[in-house]
Amino acid sequence: MRLSPDTLDRLPDAVARPGYNRDKTAIGIIHFGIGAFHRAHQAWYTDACLNAGEGGWAICGVSMRSATVAEQLNPQSGLYTLTQRSGESAETRVIGAVREVLVAGQDNDAIVARLASPDCHIASFTVTEKGYCRQADGSLDFERAGEGFYPLLAEALAQRAEAGLPGLTLLSCDNLSGNGRILGELLRAWLERNDAQLAEWFARECSTPDTMVDRIVPASAATDLDDLADALGMRDEGAVFTEPFSQWVIEDRFAGPRPSWENHGAQIVTDVTPYETAKLRMLNGAHSLLAYSGLDAGHTYVHEAIADAELRELTDSLMREEAAPTITAGADQDLSAYADALVARFANPALNHQLIQIAMDGSQKIPQRWLETLAAHQRDGQQCPAILTALAAWLRHVRGDRREVEDPMAQELAAAWESAGTEGIVEAMFGPGGLLASHWQPTPSDRAFVTALL
Ligand code: CS2
């Protein structure tokens, strides 16, 4: 037996289900990148709005890379369960917000039609850092962008402009600093190259608010799905597993209507920056440290790495001594309490969050997680030993001689190692003109510190 509208009433009583008429709910949101994170985060908030009686906010998910999610969710009419896990306790509910999953490259006409429909008000994104197709200098890589969401969005916006429909709110929910501003600038560059008039319409009628999203959602493991099937008495191929904690901070800059996410825990604010900076530099910065240094030390999961005294100390230094002092906290932010809470979340043994998952795509993550912190301290002439230690672990990781490197720049990174060698690699990566050149320029002492660890 499999989860679907027909089998919903055979679930155990303890499993909550959608209390609204799914068939009558119009699709108001098109979401690009419908992985586990979206299902456990934005779709969960939206489901709460639908349960509270708000109409018009069903989600059409777009899978950017493969048909797998479509195969998991479409036979279930978009239904899936979300299980919150902490220690020994687990709580499962059915989420009904996702109506259908379309596949980019396969269902392009349908995706454009959903976006161009008068019912649609929001296009949202969790396409990961690399999905924005930025070059090292931050500008749009037009060639790669042509394979991504840009042409679909451009076509749909052109149809909306032509039909005299209102613009859309484009909501980036990825871990980039200034994610909304970045999305706005890149899309504008794409439109300007192809249709200057449409670029003007976009600037006038659409908006791209910044957001900070936070919930730890490991990829669902086959054993999780099997155990869940035993507990539910039916299979759910689209199930997601996450922690109880969730946070969503959204800049109050919408082009049109939106769900009342703030009634269900989201924060709508005038400036997302302090939340986003703290999250990227502390949570994600620590995550990447645990990933590379933890793999090096032979660990598999985040909860194992944080239980390792040496790594715990490095994580504490990175968060409290290196990242926190670079953040101008908002009135309601206590960065020391934030660091305590993060360590407790990392220690959750029920999540089985794989370090190798976090280690993916380091070239896209490191700039906003580590390099901005390094640059801020460099201005005061200070060194960041914890981040430099993590940086050395990342460099060893991308040398590629231990395990396969999953990174869009894997080839360039390996080639840099090949030509620069141990003595030159720090400069080849981070020096002027380097692959990841940034506001942080390694000093001779930084270089010596990292090189000694390679
Ligand atoms: C992680 C994030 O995979 C990664 O790079 O650091 O996905 C992290 O789990 C989320 O940002 C938590 O909100």
Side-chain angles (χ1 to χ4, degrees), residues 105-405:
Q106 215 173 281
D107 305 317
N108 287 358
D109 290 347
I111 297 167
V112 170
R114 298 291 182 281
L115 286 163
S117 156
D119 289 337
C120 175
H121 302 288
I122 295 172
S124 53
F125 302 81
T126 50
V127 291
T128 78
E129 294 86 345
K130 65 174 176 259
Y132 294 84
C133 310
R134 290 191 302 165
Q135 314 200 78
D137 67 0
S139 63
L140 186 66
D141 178 339
F142 281 89
E143 208 177 305
R144 272 168 56 223
E147 304 293 309
F149 60 78
Y150 292 92
L152 297 170
L153 216 46
E155 173 62 31
L157 294 180
Q159 289 188 16
R160 293 188 77 92
E162 172 79 12
L165 286 172
L168 297 176
T169 301
L170 307 179
L171 206 56
S172 166
C173 300
D174 281 294
N175 289 319
L176 295 164
S177 15
N179 51 12
R181 178 182 48 75
I182 288 176
L183 172 60
E185 282 168 6
L186 295 173
L187 182 58
R188 191 159 178 177
W190 177 267
L191 297 176
E192 266 164 5
R193 177 179 276 202
N194 299 295
D195 183 344
Q197 244 185 328
L198 183 59
E200 271 176 40
W201 182 87
F202 165 67
R204 211 173 47 241
E205 304 291 333
C206 296
S207 75
T208 58
D210 281 333
T211 68
M212 181 275 244
V213 293
D214 187 11
R215 195 168 212 188
I216 295 175
V217 190
S220 303
T223 48
D224 289 329
L225 298 184
D226 292 347
D227 292 348
L228 184 74
D230 289 343
L232 298 182
M234 65 178 76
R235 286 200 67 84
D236 171 9
E237 304 300 343
V240 290
F241 303 85
T242 186
E243 59 179 343
F245 180 90
S246 185
Q247 192 177 10
W248 194 7
V249 188
I250 311 168
E251 184 188 2
D252 192 2
R253 199 158 58 81
F254 281 76
R258 61 168 175 81
S260 303
W261 288 311
E262 73 277 21
N263 291 346
H264 307 281
Q267 295 155 264
I268 311 282
V269 303
T270 48
D271 184 10
V272 171
T273 316
Y275 303 95
E276 188 178 66
T277 313
K279 197 258 172 170
L280 288 170
R281 294 186 191 171
M282 292 176 70
L283 187 159
N284 295 115
H287 248 177
S288 290
L289 177 147
L290 289 166
Y292 302 116
S293 300
L295 285 169
D296 238 8
H299 302 298
T300 305
Y301 298 111
V302 174
H303 68 271
E304 292 171 348
I306 197 69
D308 177 324
E310 211 172 299
L311 296 177
R312 165 72 197 266
E313 207 180 305
L314 276 174
T315 305
D316 271 329
S317 306
L318 179 146
M319 291 198 290
R320 296 173 205 274
E321 286 153 35
E322 299 179 0
T326 69
I327 299 158
T328 314
D332 62 343
Q333 280 176 299
D334 173 344
L335 296 180
S336 169
Y338 188 53
D340 291 339
L342 291 177
V343 170
R345 289 171 62 197
F346 295 159
N348 184 347
L351 285 180
N352 285 334
H353 195 189
Q354 295 215 35
L355 297 170
I356 196 77
Q357 189 186 342
I358 301 170
M360 264 175 60
D361 296 347
S363 69
Q364 314 291 303
K365 295 175 175 175
I366 279 173
Q368 57 279 13
R369 295 182 181 201
W370 294 344
L371 303 187
E372 289 180 7
T373 304
L374 288 172
H377 282 285
Q378 182 158 62
R379 289 194 280 273
D380 306 330
Q382 289 190 0
Q383 204 169 41
C384 299
I387 294 184
L388 292 179
T389 303
L391 209 59
W394 175 70
L395 284 172
R396 288 197 304 274
H397 176 79
V398 298
R399 188 159 52 192
D401 46 10
R402 300 186 183 189
R403 48 179 76 78
E404 211 189 316
V405 180

